[in-house]
Amino acid sequence: WIETPYDAQMSRTRNRPLARYALSPVHALTFGTACGVAGVTSLFVFVNPLTAGLGLANIVLYAGVYTRMKRLTIANTWVGAVVGAIPPLMGWAAATGALSPGAWVLGAIMFAWQFPHFNSLAYTLRADYSKAGYRMMSVTRPRLNARVALRYSLLMFPLCAMLPVLGITDMLFIADSSIVNAYMAVCAYKFWKHPEPKHSRRLFFSSIAHLPVLLILIMAHKFWQDRKAQSNI
């Protein structure tokens, strides 16, 4: 509800209920608060305190820090990426009750992925962001925006290679993930070399395909590794 006057100026968000005044700010705040309290309480009671704490931290980080930073500094993108990286930590904590190195690597993969995904989207929508007064790299520093997208696309290679090293997947995952990562990295390189809407859209759609394919590969290689280990018993 804080961003309602600004969302109303952007074509991407102006049809949201709050932006078109189909929902009052009080109702939105009440509903959001109720959902947050109910969600964190449910995680605490039915899962474990660690998962609940991560969930609460993410709500505070998103609503209290990231949202306000969007109109102040381009560093908001990094804070927003942390918000997106916490859910894998929550899933790991829910399943194991702890945060081992594998959890942090999965979180790092989600953190890195968000830069080619969001930076390409933000470049395509930079006119909207500028009109609404949001401090995005695509508006204030477009060359940095493309460079950061490429940088984190390349970071996906070593991050994925850490999963078999930690025993989460088999070693063949390095080869399969490299194919997926390479396609997104090529799109990111073209966007960096020629920052224009055609390449930003291509990078954006490649990132949308990249994440589910990569996660499926992680699960598949984990399954194959476990099955092989069982057959050797």
Side-chain angles (χ1 to χ4, degrees):
W1 57 273
I2 297 174
E3 296 182 308
T4 300
Y6 316 117
D7 284 350
Q9 301 177 51
M10 298 178 60
S11 58
R12 185 172 70 96
T13 56
R14 65 188 177 196
N15 287 321
R16 291 176 178 176
L18 272 174
R20 55 188 174 88
Y21 301 103
L23 187 68
S24 73
V26 173
H27 286 143
L29 178 60
T30 302
F31 180 75
T33 301
C35 288
V37 171
V40 172
T41 302
S42 298
L43 290 174
F44 185 88
V45 174
F46 299 112
V47 185
N48 57 53
L50 176 58
T51 307
L54 288 169
L56 177 60
N58 222 19
I59 293 172
V60 173
L61 192 61
Y62 184 90
V65 181
Y66 168 67
T67 299
R68 297 181 182 278
M69 287 182 66
K70 286 163 68 175
R71 297 181 60 80
L72 299 176
T73 171
I74 62 172
N76 73 77
T77 306
W78 280 267
V79 176
V82 173
V83 171
I86 289 179
L89 301 183
M90 294 176 65
W92 193 289
T96 68
L99 292 177
S100 58
W104 295 105
V105 173
L106 288 176
I109 287 173
M110 282 300 305
F111 178 84
W113 171 85
Q114 288 172 88
F115 289 93
H117 175 71
F118 179 75
N119 286 22
S120 57
L121 174 66
Y123 184 85
T124 305
L125 302 175
R126 65 193 184 281
D128 257 4
Y129 280 121
S130 178
K131 181 170 62 176
Y134 288 118
R135 301 282 295 178
M136 299 297 175
M137 275 185 283
S138 60
V139 175
T140 61
R141 301 181 65 182
R143 291 302 301 170
L144 176 65
N145 181 72
R147 189 162 65 249
V148 168
L150 175 60
R151 182 185 305 157
Y152 283 97
S153 295
L154 295 175
L155 185 59
M156 295 294 291
F157 288 93
L159 287 175
C160 287
M162 291 180 67
L163 292 178
V165 172
L166 293 172
I168 297 173
T169 67
D170 58 22
M171 295 302 293
L172 288 175
F173 174 73
I174 296 179
D176 285 347
S177 64
S178 293
I179 296 172
V180 179
N181 290 335
Y183 180 73
M184 187 169 72
V186 168
C187 292
Y189 173 79
K190 291 180 179 179
F191 175 50
W192 169 72
K193 195 73 174 177
H194 305 286
E196 53 192 51
K198 176 179 71 174
H199 294 301
S200 67
R201 284 192 294 267
R202 186 171 297 170
L203 175 57
F204 175 70
F205 287 114
S206 75
S207 71
I208 290 178
H210 174 275
L211 185 60
V213 171
L214 184 65
L215 293 178
I216 289 171
L217 285 175
I218 293 174
M219 291 187 292
H221 282 276
K222 172 65 175 172
F223 173 78
W224 293 330
Q225 177 180 255
D226 291 348
R227 191 169 183 179
K228 184 177 180 180
Q230 291 175 358
S231 66
N232 292 334
I233 296 177

